[in-house]
Amino acid sequence: MNEMIYTMANTKIFISENPVPAKLEVTPEDFQGINWIEIKGLFNVGELGAEQTVNEYELINSDWVMKAKGTRNGGTMTNVFIPLHLDPGQMKFREAIEDNCRPYAFRVERGANCAPESLVTVSIGNPGVVTWPNHGFQVGQPIMFTLGDGATLPDGLTAGVVYYVESVLTNNTFTLAAEPGGEAIETTGTTTGDITATAPPAGMTDLFQGFALDGARSGGARNDQYTRTYAIAVNGRIITV
């Protein structure tokens, strides 16, 4: 897929249906099998990214300060929403605010409206081959699957998990790996029904654990917009896919 310039339009933020076991050094596998709920009414997306402490040492025998990297802090992502009191995502976030002990999983998808999707087939073999007509992908492109009613993926693949294009075989076919640069996945068993594959823009989706924080409702003059701030205290590493 060719490089593109993206705007923040159609960015989506999701929260896990349930709390997750706290873990600082998360991996992509920690986000498998999660039931996600979109938090709708997103008005302004906050900045997301870790900061790192720099320790400084003034040495007696030098005019230069010696520096060393210290601990990392995931920071706090502050997002602004239009209040939708009955939205399931906002309801779940308010529920998470009251949980003072356990983090939730969060997913931020940027460029969500630029993620192509298609009905695909997956062969049984070593490696399993995905057929997507005229896909146009490059090695390393993230791929996710969703299933229609009664549909199944072959053993080796799971719906909702992020995979990566391992090799491009033709304009219509490719193989997958569990991680960038990994081994091609072998598929076994059987596959049935409608399988939809989605290709989110590479490097535009973030996965992390965080604590839901309460936020202020806006005030202002007659025609000022009424919004609500919901912040997320990031707990540990941020995974980008």
Side-chain angles (χ1 to χ4, degrees), residues 138-160:
Q138 299 176 359
V139 170
Q141 168 64 45
I143 300 290
M144 297 178 66
F145 296 103
T146 56
L147 302 176
D149 292 341
T152 59
L153 281 164
D155 295 337
L157 297 174
T158 302

Side-chain angles (χ1 to χ4, degrees), residues 15 89-102 104 106 210-216 228-232:
I15 184 173
Q90 292 197 20
M91 292 172 66
K92 177 57 64 174
F93 196 95
R94 293 195 300 273
E95 178 183 323
I97 289 173
E98 300 305 318
D99 193 331
N100 293 321
C101 300
R102 300 174 296 176
Y104 281 69
F106 292 89
F211 292 94
L213 306 179
D214 209 346
R228 172 116 188 220
T229 299
Y230 285 132
I232 307 167

